[in-house]
Amino acid sequence: MSVAGNLVMVHDQPAPDSPEPAPSSPRPGLRFLAPLVIVTASGPVSMQMILPALPAIGEHFSVGPAMTHMLVSLALIAFGSSMLVWGPLSDRYGRRLPLVGGTVLFAAGAGLCLVAPTIELLIAGRVLGAAGAAAGMVLTRAMVRDIYPSEQVSSAMSQLTAGQIVPPMLAPALGGWLTDRFGWHWNFVVLVVLGLLALVLAWRLPETNRMRAQGAASAGLLSSFSHLLRLPRFNSYALFGAAAMAAYFAFLAGAPDVAMEQMHMTPSGYGVAYIALSLSFLVGNMLSARLSPRLGMDRMILLGGGLTVASALAGVLVLLGISVAAGSPWLLFVTGSVIAFGNGMSLNNAQAGAMGVEPRMAGAAAGIAGFVQMVSGALATQSLGIIHNGTPYPLFLMMAAACVLSLAIFVGCQHLARRAA
């Protein structure tokens, strides 16, 4: 499962009045798409790669989880906030230069992390890099929409999405191996190299936006945000996704401490085990693609949300009832994998539902949905660091609370929407 696969929906939708590529546009193909895949993957890889290194970073700087979790939570806030900026900026000034600027920030952030003498500067580097990585996540999809004929956009987007899912799935395993063999600093050596490669590729890309200086005014965008947030049906989808992703980000930040400090896994072992979550999300996502046309979005959300609630509550009950389970990583990863599978079934439907409430505001809806997901993930991550007590209970209880809350929000807001109708 990856942050990228769920959250990066800003500017995804082909504009109904988008022109076909100009005759001077480069011919779409692998030479154009492959660099985009590498650029867009840099953000998710950086977010996931350092997770197995968090305990080692805390030990190096003599700080607790409340501090190391800021490497994730503040990066998420910077990432989500920047998503709302890069898209409109590229609508007005073109895609290429903002993309180059974003990759410069990403590489600079990784470089600052590599040489940071204090945890505060390390956090600053993570924030800087996350703000830059958001450009790659948003603008590469906009470039695909710009340059591909309408009948090829869906296929090209699928290939680009694979670049946002597969590399992050393997990133924790690489990060764990590097931490075990060479130390946590080597994670940032790799990220600096990746950032420089992304910068070279972004510099060589053509400008694809032929409609510059026609972006929506900020006042109109704020008006769209205000309108959507007053709609119970929109809130049912957006807030369901936010709460569901809070459960995932709680695992993302809390599982390394639980697995390595309390269940005695190695960083490389944790990285390999984490692949199960990504595979579970992919399977759930594929099942959703097959079942959603027949069952509908709302039923898929209820089905996936119900599965996450059952898994999270079962994990808490097993943890409370069988003391030996507290020392076993199997309980942690089985619970997390089933939650990831349920999220794979429900989250894409929630995102599609949010953008379908007011089709003329699909871009604004995607921006709000992605932003609240990142903010909720950051809150869950930081809260878990604060309540960390050296046992698995805070992590399991927070995942359960977030899963229950997601389903309760969806059912409650849908009820309000029906009453309003």
Side-chain angles (χ1 to χ4, degrees):
M1 181 180 180
S2 78
V3 176
N6 299 306
L7 308 178
V8 187
M9 301 292 291
V10 181
H11 301 285
D12 268 6
Q13 304 303 307
D17 56 348
S18 293
E20 294 298 316
S24 60
S25 298
R27 183 179 179 181
L30 186 62
R31 290 183 63 185
F32 173 72
L33 193 60
L36 296 188
V37 170
I38 295 174
V39 172
T40 197
S42 59
V45 166
S46 70
M47 195 68 69
Q48 310 266 27
M49 189 174 177
I50 72 157
L51 297 176
L54 290 180
I57 291 173
E59 183 178 352
H60 177 85
F61 289 108
S62 300
V63 297
M67 202 68 176
T68 57
H69 283 200
M70 288 186 182
L71 295 168
V72 179
S73 62
L74 295 185
L76 288 174
I77 292 175
F79 189 90
S81 301
S82 300
M83 286 170 63
L84 299 176
V85 175
W86 289 115
L89 195 65
S90 74
D91 288 340
R92 186 166 295 275
Y93 298 109
R95 318 287 188 210
R96 181 177 171 273
L97 287 181
L99 186 61
V100 169
T103 55
V104 168
L105 290 181
F106 175 80
L112 178 57
C113 290
L114 178 61
V115 300
T118 65
I119 187 67
E120 290 81 10
L121 281 177
L122 187 65
I123 292 170
R126 289 283 291 168
V127 169
L128 183 65
M137 298 292 288
V138 173
L139 301 187
T140 53
R141 300 176 78 89
M143 294 176 83
V144 166
R145 184 196 64 189
D146 290 339
I147 202 169
Y148 275 78
S150 57
E151 66 273 10
Q152 296 181 20
V153 168
S154 178
S155 174
M157 286 291 188
S158 297
Q159 296 176 60
L160 192 61
T161 300
Q164 298 170 350
I165 294 177
V166 176
M169 181 173 70
L170 303 175
L174 174 61
W177 180 79
L178 288 171
T179 302
D180 271 345
R181 293 293 301 272
F182 306 108
W184 64 267
H185 285 90
W186 276 86
N187 287 273
F188 296 106
V189 172
V190 172
L191 292 178
V192 168
V193 173
L194 180 60
L196 294 175
L197 175 61
L199 175 58
V200 171
L201 294 174
W203 185 265
R204 293 170 60 87
L205 286 170
E207 177 55 63
T208 63
N209 185 5
R210 309 295 176 182
M211 306 272 298
R212 292 191 291 278
Q214 296 183 19
S218 58
L221 191 63
L222 293 176
S223 176
S224 298
F225 289 168
S226 175
H227 172 73
L228 288 167
L229 291 172
R230 291 196 298 267
L231 301 178
R233 189 158 171 260
F234 170 79
N235 287 325
S236 72
Y237 296 119
L239 297 181
F240 170 86
M245 289 304 292
Y248 166 66
F249 281 117
F251 186 97
L252 199 71
D257 291 319
V258 171
M260 285 179 263
E261 293 183 359
Q262 299 157 32
M263 298 178 176
H264 311 296
M265 292 185 75
T266 63
S268 55
Y270 174 85
V272 172
Y274 183 84
I275 295 176
L277 269 79
S278 299
L279 290 175
S280 297
F281 178 78
L282 283 175
V283 173
N285 199 32
M286 293 168 62
L287 186 62
S288 172
R290 289 182 173 272
L291 295 181
S292 294
R294 284 183 286 172
L295 298 181
M297 291 187 303
D298 290 355
R299 287 193 182 94
M300 289 301 298
I301 292 171
L302 290 171
L303 185 60
L307 190 60
T308 65
V309 169
S311 175
L313 292 179
V316 171
L317 292 175
V318 172
L319 187 64
L320 292 173
I322 306 176
S323 59
V324 70
S328 170
W330 285 104
L331 176 62
L332 177 65
F333 283 98
V334 168
T335 302
S337 295
V338 177
I339 291 175
F341 178 79
N343 281 347
M345 294 177 65
S346 61
L347 278 173
N348 283 338
N349 287 286
Q351 290 165 346
M355 290 186 293
V357 172
E358 289 281 5
R360 63 190 175 87
M361 300 178 181
I368 296 174
F371 176 71
V372 297
Q373 285 178 2
M374 289 295 177
V375 171
S376 68
L379 291 175
T381 297
Q382 200 54 45
S383 298
L384 193 60
I386 293 172
I387 65 174
H388 175 77
N389 65 356
T391 73
Y393 296 109
L395 173 58
F396 277 83
L397 290 172
M398 181 166 287
M399 288 193 298
C403 290
V404 171
L405 183 62
S406 68
L407 201 57
I409 286 174
F410 181 74
V411 172
C413 288
Q414 286 284 327
H415 176 69
L416 290 176
R418 286 191 294 270
R419 289 186 59 182

